[in-house]
């Protein structure tokens, strides 16, 4: 039985960098989830009888919303729903399943790296048939629909048993509960030399993978421990929990501090890695060395040919604008193009579909390739392992060698979280007032070559995206970038990205914050951060 329920619009259902993210109590308001899901369906065309993939990162409210999504998909005329067992599906696995089973699209229930639990965050995003996040054209249509929606459709049916693999029916629509890991693992086995990695684990090589009680746990255990022979206990915090054990599932030096401390200690294994809430990000730490995500992107691109899936070389690299320019140097050497896109994975989809780029990455610890249309945490870890197995060198040596060859891009991001939204907007307006000016006193002796509000023209579909971050580019190759986060749920988060290039091997050692101290000070003065926000230090430094 299909019910049509009358509803009223909510004004705040605008998808951000990666879907709609709000506090759980916001999603728990009557009709809130249903309105957004119906707005997604109303913004799409031609899905009658087709397949929809549903799954999420296992956070609080995941199961309830998975049931709602299944019943609404049935009521709206989908022919089949594929849902991960227990409603669980990492973001990259969702992308893999959508592609492999030729689904029309997918609904991913995740707020990624944001904390979970009854007072934490929840999120819903829609992915299209290529497996990637919906492009802006669709997210804008969803938002437009959400502002006028007056009804939604839902099947009056009992809940589906999500814990058991098998097929059932909801209002005439087939529902298949499937093993969340199998398809994804099969894809990884195609891309990487599992024998090389197995040999490493059979020897003295040891690693720790911190799944942060989030979606990647079951994938990492199945692949690293069960298939590749890493000793049991290699994966820690491997059981997904609705509140991520009370932690922030963000794989950075603040929230994955235990892993960092271990990797800097005498007991450090050879390799450390972590991933985020929905499994699309990665943190890479070698013994004694943290690899910045921007460097990791460059290193993976430079060494990808060592893995069977990329043995023929790569067609191009794409990085988000705030990501360091280390990857550009690799692209130059490989004689391929490096594309610069706005923040968020949705901008990489077209480049990957058109075969213009093979490897993509962001400074926020996201790397991936054309194997799916999302960033992929475990993929990056496996590519690293494949490279380590082939080169038989330590992470530290590989990174140092890379800097000697290409130069080092010192890089840091300073986040000021939960600042007042009004103050944040005024700060950005203040920065915008410098655009195009040459003599800005806060810049001291630095010579500006460009200041702008980054805009992107998509070379594939010719769409334009404006207002993607204020950039200050200097003559010596250094950069300072400011943008406001599109994933936070409290006030505004200001991100300041700072980079300087050092070609001289003699000057490549040392601490990043010290090496960038001058630029950091310039950024603070330029944006008047302290007087405008009352903050004298960032909340998180990565
Ligand atoms: C952040 C990151 C961005 C990433 C996005 C989604 O966005 O900066 O690089 O693509 O999160 O990642 P923002 O707008 O807060 O800067 V995830 O792992 O949350 O899906
Ligand atoms: Co994520």
């Amino acid at each position: 039985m299909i019910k049509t329920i009358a509803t009223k619009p909510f004004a705040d259902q605008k998808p951000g960098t990666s879907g709609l993210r709000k506090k759980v109590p916001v999603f728990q308001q009557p009709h809130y989830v249903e309105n957004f899901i119906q707005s997604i369906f109303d913004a799409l065309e031609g899905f009658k009888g087709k397949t929809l993939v549903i799954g999420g990162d296992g956070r609080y409210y995941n199961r309830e919303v998975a049931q709602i999504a299944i019943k609404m998909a049935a009521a709206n005329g989908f022919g089949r729903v594929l849902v991960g067992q227990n409603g669980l599906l990492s973001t990259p696995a969702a992308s893999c399943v959508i592609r492999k089973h030729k689904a029309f699209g997918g609904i991913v229930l995740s707020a990624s790296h944001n904390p979970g639990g009854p007072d934490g965050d929840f999120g819903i995003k829609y992915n299209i048939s290529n497996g990637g996040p919906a492009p802006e054209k669709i997210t804008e249509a969803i938002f437009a629909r959400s502002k006028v929606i007056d009804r939604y459709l839902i099947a009056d049916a009992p809940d589906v048993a999500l814990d058991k693999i098998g097929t059932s029916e909801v209002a005439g629509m087939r529902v298949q509960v499937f093993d969340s890991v199998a398809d994804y693992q099969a894809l990884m086995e195609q891309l990487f030399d599992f024998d090389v990695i197995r040999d490493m684990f059979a020897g003295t090589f040891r690693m720790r993978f911190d799944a942060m009680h989030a979606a990647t746990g079951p994938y990492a255990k199945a692949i690293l421990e069960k298939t590749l022979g890493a000793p049991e206990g290699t994966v820690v915090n491997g059981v997904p929990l609705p509140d991520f054990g009370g932690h922030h599932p963000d794989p950075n030096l603040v929230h994955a501090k235990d892993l960092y401390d271990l990797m800097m200690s005498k007991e450090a294994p050879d390799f450390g890695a972590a991933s985020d809430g929905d499994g699309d990000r990665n943190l890479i730490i070698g013994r004694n060395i943290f690899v910045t995500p921007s460097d990791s992107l460059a290193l993976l691109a430079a060494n990808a040919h060592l893995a069977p899936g990329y043995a023929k070389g790569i067609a191009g690299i794409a990085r988000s604008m705030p990501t360091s320019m280390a990857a550009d140097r690799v692209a130059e050497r490989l004689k391929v193009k490096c594309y610069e896109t706005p923040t968020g994975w949705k901008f990489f989809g077209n480049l990957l579909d058109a075969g213009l780029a093979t490897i993509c990455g962001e400074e926020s610890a996201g790397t991936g390739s054309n194997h799916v249309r999302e960033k992929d945490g475990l993929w990056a870890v496996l590519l690293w392992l494949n490279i380590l197995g082939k080169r038989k060198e330590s992470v530290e040596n590989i990174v140092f060698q890379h800097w000697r060859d290409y130069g080092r891009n010192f890089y840091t991001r300073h986040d000021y979280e939960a600042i007042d939204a009004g103050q944040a907007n005024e700060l950005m307006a203040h920065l915008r007032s410098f655009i195009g000016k040459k003599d800005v006193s806060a810049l001291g002796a630095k010579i500006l070559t460009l200041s702008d509000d980054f805009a992107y023209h998509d070379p594939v579909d010719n769409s334009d995206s404006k207002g993607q971050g204020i950039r200050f580019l200097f003559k010596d190759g250094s950069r300072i970038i400011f943008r406001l986060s599109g994933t936070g749920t409290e006030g505004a988060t200001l991100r300041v990205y700072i980079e300087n290039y050092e070609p001289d091997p003699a000057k490549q050692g040392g601490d990043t914050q010290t090496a960038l101290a001058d630029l950091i000070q310039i950024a603070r003065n330029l944006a008047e951060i302290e007087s405008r926000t009352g903050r004298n230090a960032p909340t998180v430094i990565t």
Side-chain angles (χ1 to χ4, degrees), residues 165-226:
I165 289 175
T167 303
S168 59
E169 221 188 87
V170 171
M173 179 191 78
R174 195 144 56 99
V175 179
Q176 278 173 252
V177 179
F178 66 95
D179 175 350
S180 313
V181 177
D183 287 334
Y184 178 81
Q185 174 160 348
L187 180 56
M188 294 302 116
E189 290 184 19
Q190 275 172 31
L191 297 175
F192 302 116
D193 194 333
F194 271 37
D195 288 337
V196 161
I197 305 175
R198 225 178 256 125
D199 284 352
M200 270 204 306
F201 284 124
T204 58
F205 184 88
R206 291 294 173 265
M207 76 173 284
R208 175 174 289 187
F209 184 94
D210 189 342
M212 303 188 93
H213 290 302
T216 325
Y219 299 86
K221 275 193 187 160
I223 297 174
L224 298 174
E225 294 184 3
K226 296 214 178 70

Side-chain angles (χ1 to χ4, degrees), residues 112 276 278 280-281:
S112 189
D276 71 334
D278 59 336
D280 56 359
R281 298 185 182 199

Side-chain angles (χ1 to χ4, degrees), residues 49 52 82 89 231 243 280 295 297 339 365 406 447 521 542:
L52 182 72
L82 297 178
L89 206 49
D243 66 349
D280 56 359
D295 275 351
L297 169 67
Y339 297 86
Y406 293 89
I447 301 170
Q521 195 52 48
T542 46

